[in-house]
Amino acid sequence: MTTDSTLTLRAALQAGAAVLAEAGILDAAVDAELLAAHVLELSRGGVQAAVVTGRDLNSQEAAAFDAAIARRAERVPLQHITGRAPFRHLELSVGPGVFVPRPETEILAQFAIDALAAVPSPRPLAVDLGTGSGAIAIALATEVPHARIVAVERSADAYRWAARNVARLTDGNLELRHGSFADALDDLNAQVSVVASNPPYVPADAIPRDPEVRLHDPREALYSGEDGLDDIRTISRVGLRLAHSGGMIVLEHGEWQGQGVRDILTSDGWVAAATHADLTHRDRVTTAVRP
Ligand code: SAM
Ligand code: GLN
């Protein structure tokens, strides 16, 4: 085997991006750079710099890059190939069996962090219901280090990913539980300042178009009954029991579900229900306060 090659990184990236674009991937050039970064153990900026300085790929690197491109062209999620998903300042470990954290959930995390940081207590308590990889809970634990966080996850596969991330990224203020948010936190009744959740909220018949989501995110992370709001109905009632007076609930939902979520929260007894838009002006987070 030769380590010399005439293939430049620039040419490999162009060819890889063309394969990904042909497979229907929108940000094909970005994904090609991120896969090259993974294979070459560089940052994305490092890849861009290496292109400018005319770096070549040896045959092993070229083969590894081609293999990664081929998997991505089969619409395996980028994050399953790299094993990593960025979330705020974190790099979470992810793979088959766990929901890949989404950038829009960073906004929910911001509401929860701001509310938790403002609680006038030396050790306020927050919960994350359906923690998946642990994204929201670990962001809370690391960005509000004086707080205590309890996260719960029902899926055994997802729980394993969360446990790995919690061990690697947190420092003793996050407790992870394996069970259902319907009843796994009964010992925390009336003690919680912030109830945060990105629950399943996709209506049963709204099958996601992207194969990455449809084929690779766990079903139990996505679907929640006919209107997608079954888990939010449960979480509203459970949250009311967990929160103390003045405590806040912060929920992610689909862009057309704001009114439905506010109605559920208000009829259960939450007050000041308000829906907040993401950076693309879509209603994606609703907050409310326990009277
Ligand atoms: N919070 C993570 C995030 O934002 O990336 C994961 C969100 S994913 C959309 C919803 C998660 O809730 C999945 O991991 C799913 O397994 C979990 N889940 C669904 N029903 C649950 C229940 N009754 N109790 C605990 N976890 C549940
Ligand atoms: N936003 C997710 C999607 O891409 C759905 C997440 C959820 O149900 N919490 O389909």
Side-chain angles (χ1 to χ4, degrees):
M1 185 188 293
T2 170
T3 52
D4 293 332
S5 167
T6 52
L7 183 67
T8 63
L9 174 58
R10 183 190 299 274
L13 284 170
Q14 279 170 355
V19 171
L20 298 185
E22 181 67 24
I25 290 165
L26 287 182
D27 297 317
V30 176
D31 278 21
E33 283 183 356
L34 289 169
L35 289 171
H38 171 64
V39 165
L40 301 175
E41 297 182 16
L42 294 171
S43 64
R44 186 174 163 209
V47 168
Q48 290 165 341
V51 168
V52 173
T53 56
R55 190 188 194 285
D56 287 330
L57 293 185
N58 66 37
S59 55
Q60 268 173 330
E61 290 168 342
F65 180 67
D66 284 350
I69 290 287
R71 285 189 74 203
R72 185 72 189 96
E74 288 165 10
R75 305 299 295 264
V76 175
L78 176 74
Q79 298 88 343
H80 283 201
I81 302 170
T82 64
R84 291 291 161 111
F87 187 78
R88 297 178 68 89
H89 64 294
L90 303 166
E91 279 249 301
L92 296 156
S93 297
V94 296
V98 72
F99 180 86
V100 173
R102 308 287 207 265
E104 54 267 34
T105 306
E106 295 181 353
I107 294 167
L108 170 140
Q110 189 68 59
F111 277 102
I113 286 164
D114 291 346
L116 191 59
V119 176
S121 154
R123 197 152 172 78
L125 174 62
V127 295
D128 176 17
L129 308 183
T131 197
S133 63
I136 299 166
I138 297 172
L140 284 165
T142 51
E143 295 189 55
V144 193
H146 66 279
R148 175 184 170 215
I149 317 299
V150 179
V152 61
E153 172 56 50
R154 184 171 61 184
S155 144
D157 288 337
Y159 176 86
R160 275 193 286 276
W161 288 105
R164 182 190 300 193
N165 286 318
V166 168
R168 186 165 57 84
L169 297 167
T170 67
D171 200 15
N173 66 334
L174 198 173
E175 179 194 341
L176 180 64
R177 297 187 186 180
H178 186 203
S180 172
F181 48 61
D183 58 14
L185 304 173
D186 288 356
D187 55 313
L188 305 179
N189 284 346
Q191 296 175 41
V192 177
S193 294
V194 177
V195 176
S197 183
N198 170 20
Y201 53 68
V202 177
D205 63 358
I207 310 296
R209 203 173 311 134
D210 290 341
E212 290 85 350
V213 180
R214 193 173 66 239
L215 304 178
H216 297 278
D217 277 322
R219 292 184 59 80
E220 62 265 42
L222 297 178
Y223 302 105
S224 192
E226 203 179 323
D227 63 356
L229 295 176
D230 281 0
D231 281 296
I232 287 183
R233 289 186 185 90
T234 303
I235 288 170
S236 171
R237 287 194 304 272
V238 168
L240 210 52
R241 178 157 59 63
L242 292 172
H244 58 67
S245 176
M248 194 184 208
I249 190 165
V250 190
L251 296 173
E252 184 174 310
H253 50 71
E255 62 182 301
W256 312 114
Q257 293 173 325
Q259 182 71 52
V261 173
R262 291 196 301 279
D263 288 349
I264 291 167
L265 293 172
T266 303
S267 72
D268 281 347
W270 294 91
V271 297
T275 299
H276 313 276
D278 68 11
L279 298 174
T280 62
H281 308 289
R282 286 184 253 238
D283 284 346
R284 297 303 304 279
V285 172
T286 291
T287 54
V289 177
R290 191 193 193 296

